[in-house]
């Protein structure tokens, strides 16, 4: 089998439309610019967990390569050791794999290229195109000028090549403290593009790196590293977000002045989503300050959190395909992502019955000790998923809010003297309401009509509601974690004067229900198993589960809120 076959076999089949990137590649293939090659890369910095914005970047890069029989590399942009950690490396690898993408043997680290980057910096010094500057960070900023004022040249700009070579080597050897010197590119302090005003190439950081340890105490800046890494790897189309458009002249300048293979940088819009913050710095703050339980807290927009919450990778890919690639920044409604999750789970999730807030029901005329097996449909959308047997007995639980002692007019569920259907079982009628000393309803005594087995009355009488239930003696105990949006505002960064996005945190984003009763079918299911709890939504088994107590996260509710958003929008 040739390599092309292997790649075709591994193609992810998520339905997706062509994007403007496909047009760019087609044009390059027509002109033969890259000899028909398509080679992209996903280049995260290991300074946090990957989020839904990264999912977009992952799909854009892997799909573009797949659609043209090309390749996509995984490259860690690990040039800033002060913020980077092995934990983030590990989680990012796991998350991309989980999302369904395979970089095969092409896992790279910018830090693998430090020696080569150093040599290229030396070359620029020798060519008179780089110099060691003693100005500190504040001074460099001040000398840089503004959009309306040209910058001023550093007094160290005209050091000789020999002096620069000597100083740069001594920077590497660790002779100078952090911030004492930097290596800068000699371009143009009057350039209208601030990025071209003698950008910094290397800074001194006496910090241990998660991969190179203490081998280096100088580290390359993103701009000096990124294009050269792309070049080394033979990348053809280097996709980044729009804020790097102003850096493209610098990307090109380094490659041209080093005279090395030259990939094409292409900018695409960043994904923003309502009710969500996407900056890793802000997400780190939420974790560090305990506003959430960790990077994988199901309320977070990280892929680890979505996995834990029960979002299937297929649904996230579908979301990325539906939003496509944009040329200008936009904010996507979170309801669309939820709709993708709901659509997928509707087709694939096993149905079970679970009672979140149980109310005890005793069927007074049902034989003590009798247990019947009722046949229930596993997924009405997918017959091949078959049926299962659900135990039914004299004492059951129903949902507390499926009973009202004094029901208003349009309430059709259980009430004193009223009859309802129990799904897959019998009609029952509420005969008596038992209360505690405080007057709280603690139990219902109901009669069951044994002639209605399977759910219909032979005499044709109708009921207006069908309730879910579980048999008390057979139910599993569970905890359920219900989530609301993490922020109360669709644009959390819009905060009142003097306050930040934290002021928009939703204090009620987590509700924990204990004493939940679940149908025995789920017994022994592995962490991550997903279900529809009938009438309640989609739920997923959390890793906090123990042998005695299951823990479920509510993945998403049943109501299609996306349809509503679309209607509102016109
Ligand atoms: P942050 O500023 O939050 O740290 P970043 O862009 O620096 O984000 P990286 O780890 O460098 O984060 O991102 C890896 C890749 O993912 C980059 O190519 C980046 O353009 C892309 N990316 C990051 N955030 C988004 C987003 N919200 N939408 C689309 N692509 C994104
Ligand atoms: Mg970055």
């Amino acid at each position: 089998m040739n390599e092309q076959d292997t790649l075709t076999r591994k193609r992810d089949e998520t339905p997706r439309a062509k994007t403007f990137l496909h047009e760019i590649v087609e044009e390059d293939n027509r002109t033969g610019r890259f000899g028909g090659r398509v080679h992209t890369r996903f280049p995260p910095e290991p300074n946090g967990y990957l989020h839904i914005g990264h999912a977009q970047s992952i799909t854009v890069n892997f799909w573009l390569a797949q659609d043209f029989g090309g390749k996509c590399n995984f490259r860690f942009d690990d040039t800033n050791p002060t913020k980077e950690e092995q934990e983030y490396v590990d989680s990012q690898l796991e998350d991309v794999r989980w999302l369904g993408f395979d970089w095969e043997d092409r896992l790279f680290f910018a830090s693998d290229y430090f020696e080569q980057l150093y040599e290229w910096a030396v070359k620029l010094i020798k060519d008179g195109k780089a110099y060691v500057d003693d100005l500190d960070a504040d001074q460099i900023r001040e000398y840089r000028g503004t959009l309306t004022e040209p910058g001023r040249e550093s007094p160290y700009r005209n050091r000789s090549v020999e002096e620069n070579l000597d100083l740069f080597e001594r920077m590497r050897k660790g002779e100078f403290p952090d911030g004492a010197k930097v290596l800068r590119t000699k371009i143009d302090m009057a350039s209208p593009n601030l990025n071209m005003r003698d950008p910094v190439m290397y800074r001194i950081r006496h910090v241990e790196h998660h991969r190179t340890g203490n081998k280096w105490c100088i580290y390359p800046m993103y701009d000096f590293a990124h294009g050269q890494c792309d070049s080394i790897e033979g990348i053809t189309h280097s996709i980044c977000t729009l804020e790097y458009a102003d850096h493209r002249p610098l990307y090109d300048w380094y490659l041209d002045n080093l005279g090395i293979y030259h990939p094409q940088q292409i900018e695409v819009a960043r994904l923003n989503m309502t009710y969500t913050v996407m900056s890793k710095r802000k997400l780190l703050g939420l974790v560090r300050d305990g506003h959430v339980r960790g990077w994988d807290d199901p309320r977070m927009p990280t892929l680890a959190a979505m996995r834990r919450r029960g979002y299937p990778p297929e649904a996230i890919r579908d979301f990325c395909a539906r939003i496509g690639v944009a040329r200008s920044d936009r904010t996507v409604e979170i309801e669309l992502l939820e709709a993708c999750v709901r659509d997928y789970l509707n087709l694939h999730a096993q149905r079970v019955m679970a009672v979140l807030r149980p109310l005890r029901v005793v069927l007074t005329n049902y034989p003590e000790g009798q247990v019947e097996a009722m046949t229930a449909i596993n997924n009405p959308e997918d017959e091949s998923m078959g049926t299962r047997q659900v135990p039914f007995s004299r004492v059951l639980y129903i949902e507390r809010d499926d009973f009202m002692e004094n029901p208003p007019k349009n309430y059709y569920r259980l009430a004193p003297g009223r009859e309802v259907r129990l799904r897959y079982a019998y009609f029952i009628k509420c005969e008596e309401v038992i209360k505690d000393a405080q007057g709280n309803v603690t139990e219902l005594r109901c009669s069951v009509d044994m002639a209605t087995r399977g759910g219909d009355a032979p005499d044709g009488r109708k009921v207006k509601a069908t309730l879910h239930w579980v048999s008390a003696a057979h139910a599993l105990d569970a905890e359920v974690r219900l989530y609301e949006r993490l922020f109360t505002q669709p644009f959390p960064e819009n905060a009142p004067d003097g306050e930040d996005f934290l002021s928009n945190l939703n204090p009620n984003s987590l509700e924990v229900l204990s004493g939940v009763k679940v149908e025995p079918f789920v017994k022994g299911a592995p962490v991550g198993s997903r279900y529809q709890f009938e009438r309640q939504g989609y739920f997923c088994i959390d890793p906090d589960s123990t042998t005695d107590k299951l823990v479920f996260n509510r993945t998403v509710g049943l109501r299609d809120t996306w349809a509503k958003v679309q209607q509102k929008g016109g």
Side-chain angles (χ1 to χ4, degrees), residues 281-297 299-300 486-487 501-502 505-507 509-510:
R281 188 177 56 77
K282 289 179 181 156
L283 296 177
L284 176 62
L286 291 173
V287 173
R288 202 192 36 217
D289 301 337
H291 297 293
V292 293
R293 293 176 170 189
W295 281 101
D296 67 346
D297 184 306
R299 292 166 292 180
M300 292 281 276
L486 188 52
F487 295 98
F501 72 106
L502 293 174
L505 270 175
N506 177 4
S509 57
L510 169 64

Side-chain angles (χ1 to χ4, degrees), residues 43 45 77 222 244 270 280:
E45 186 179 354
D77 171 24
Y222 171 89
Y244 288 99
R270 196 169 259 279
K280 279 186 279 187

Side-chain angles (χ1 to χ4, degrees), residues 403-423:
F403 171 79
M404 277 187 94
E405 200 171 9
N406 301 297
K409 230 181 159 167
N410 53 1
Y411 185 90
Y412 299 113
R413 292 170 271 166
L414 204 57
R418 189 180 290 170
E419 194 170 45
V420 296
R421 175 190 287 112
L422 293 182
R423 187 142 164 86

Side-chain angles (χ1 to χ4, degrees), residues 52 271 273 315-323 332 336-337 340:
I52 187 70
L271 170 67
M273 200 162 69
I316 296 174
R317 296 203 299 266
D318 179 34
F319 169 75
C320 293
R322 289 208 221 175
I323 60 176
V332 173
L336 175 61
L337 174 60
C340 292

